[in-house]
Amino acid sequence: MNKLLEAWRYPAILLFSIGVSSVGSWIYFIALNLIVLNLTGSAIAVSGLYIVRASSTLFASFWSGSLIDRLNKKYLMFVLNIFQSLLIVILPFFSTLAWIYVLVFVITIASSMYHPTSMTYITKLIPIEQRKRFNSLRSLLDSGAFITGPAIAGMLFTIGTPNTAIYLNAIALFLSACITLGMPNVEANEQLVSKADEKISYKVLFNDWELVIRFSLKNLYIMVIYFLFSMMIVMMTATDSLEAAFATQVLSLSEGEYGILVSIAGAGVLVGSLLNTAIVEKVSTAWLIGMGSLITALGYLTFTSSYTFLIASFGCFLLSFATAFANTGFYTFFQNNIPVDSMGRIGSIYGFVEALFIIIITAFFGIAAEITSIRYVIVPAAIIMFVVATILLILNIQPSKARFYRNISELNE
């Protein structure tokens, strides 16, 4: 028991930090939407937030990996959290939409950098045999944040204003930063990619992109799995952008019924995450990715093909239920197969491509839905998702590729 407690001391602290930050992010996201809506009274202005956030992610992903791999991850995570916290504190003081967009753009840059930084730090901190369990617990925390974040935000709106919620997120990020400062410095005795004071020039960026391309060509199987999973994410995000319109305009659900549908999706996420945590050590990473993706796609196919509230509810539950399995498997696959010294660059550049396609496909879906019908857009998208997930499952479970999915405990069996 003492050994177990010692082994999980820092992972547990890190999970707590991630949980606090995730809940705060949901509160911030909902409050920000309300602030912009109250300021402008325009739904288009709120949609502009999504475009600003996506554009910011795209901009940051182009170069941030080069910076991440050249800096100490622990202190970079601390600085990014503090930076976000300070900017979020001053956000309510701006009353013009343009300045809010500028601040959101900069905040999202820091947030976009934080994810690959934390992924690299986690990979260095967590031993390979603990990663699946850690990732399953992280999925559980994310699902908890998905449910508790909006609930806390709603409670805050009844006793205060959206600004109160914004300040709470700033406090959450500050707390997360303080926790990070108490974590081990996993790179204390390591030689980073190059000198920390090396200027990030066009030549450095070009060389880093070249490194990622060489890695991808040398490790085609890893690249194919990554991009197939990214394809799933792109199609899911684009489909989700039309979810509310489909439910209210095509299925003719009332606002109350749509709220219940969202709650059912939240329940699916929670149940899936709990089951995932219970069985994660008994299921191979390959099956987690493959079957998780396939069941998710089946959920989207059920939802987009539905004509009644009951079937739509089942589809929502199914797609939400399966995402925890797919995400846990994919995070573990990524951590075990991407070189940790170049993880920032590889993750950021792959993320750049994913973000670019999310913007393009989401915009295309929006335009196509206006020209034709929402159902004619999202049903083919769900079919494409199902085909991609089927290919992903077939590639995952090939016996010749088993080495990509094994952790140390599995190798010792």
Side-chain angles (χ1 to χ4, degrees), residues 294-362:
L294 193 65
I295 295 171
T296 299
L298 189 61
Y300 272 97
L301 198 55
T302 304
F303 174 70
T304 57
S305 305
S306 64
Y307 284 87
T308 66
F309 174 76
L310 186 63
I311 295 177
S313 299
F314 177 71
C316 272
F317 182 87
L318 196 63
L319 68 89
S320 303
F321 171 84
T323 52
F325 299 94
N327 288 336
T328 297
F330 179 72
Y331 285 148
T332 306
F333 174 83
F334 183 84
Q335 290 165 344
N336 291 354
N337 291 287
I338 303 295
V340 71
D341 291 334
S342 51
M343 190 173 280
R345 284 166 289 178
I346 293 170
S348 293
I349 290 172
Y350 282 5
F352 171 83
V353 177
E354 184 179 297
L356 179 63
F357 275 100
I358 283 174
I359 293 171
I360 293 170
I361 300 299
T362 302

Side-chain angles (χ1 to χ4, degrees), residues 85-270:
S85 180
L86 291 173
L87 288 182
I88 287 170
V89 164
I90 64 172
L91 184 61
F93 293 97
F94 289 85
S95 56
T96 59
L97 186 62
W99 275 110
I100 289 174
Y101 280 171
V102 169
L103 273 177
V104 169
F105 186 88
V106 179
I107 290 167
T108 308
I109 288 176
S111 177
S112 300
M113 288 181 65
Y114 186 86
H115 178 70
T117 306
S118 64
M119 180 68 83
T120 307
Y121 181 82
I122 288 167
T123 305
K124 290 190 172 189
L125 177 71
I126 309 296
I128 191 170
E129 65 272 13
Q130 289 181 283
R131 286 175 190 164
K132 263 207 303 190
R133 171 65 64 191
F134 181 90
N135 290 328
S136 71
L137 292 169
R138 183 175 183 176
S139 292
L140 179 61
L141 284 174
D142 287 341
S143 69
F146 174 76
I147 295 167
T148 58
I152 293 171
M155 183 181 67
L156 288 171
F157 298 157
T158 61
I159 60 175
T161 65
N163 289 349
T164 308
I166 289 285
Y167 293 137
L168 185 64
N169 180 47
I171 293 169
L173 284 168
F174 181 78
L175 178 60
S176 181
C178 293
I179 293 169
T180 302
L181 205 57
M183 294 296 292
N185 184 5
V186 293
E187 295 168 313
N189 300 314
E190 290 184 22
Q191 179 68 41
L192 297 178
V193 174
S194 62
K195 293 179 182 178
D197 59 352
E198 180 182 5
K199 291 182 180 178
I200 306 299
S201 62
Y202 287 113
K203 184 179 179 182
V204 170
L205 290 175
F206 178 80
N207 289 338
D208 287 344
W209 275 71
E210 197 174 44
L211 177 145
V212 174
I213 292 168
R214 280 200 312 270
F215 171 83
S216 301
L217 294 175
K218 189 176 177 181
N219 300 274
L220 279 174
Y221 180 78
I222 295 172
M223 185 195 71
V224 168
I225 296 299
Y226 192 103
F227 278 103
L228 284 173
F229 194 82
S230 287
M231 221 176 180
M232 287 285 299
I233 299 295
V234 169
M235 299 306 291
M236 287 162 63
T237 305
T239 304
D240 287 346
S241 70
L242 297 173
E243 173 206 356
F246 175 75
T248 55
Q249 295 175 20
V250 179
L251 298 181
S252 301
L253 301 183
S254 66
E255 288 186 4
E257 288 173 324
Y258 177 64
I260 294 171
L261 200 66
V262 173
S263 299
I264 289 170
V269 171
L270 186 60

Side-chain angles (χ1 to χ4, degrees), residues 50 66 88 107 249 255 289 305 310 347 363 376 378 382 407 409 411:
Y50 290 80
S66 298
I88 287 170
I107 290 167
Q249 295 175 20
E255 288 186 4
I289 300 174
S305 305
L310 186 63
Y376 290 158
I378 61 176
N407 59 30
S409 62
L411 286 171

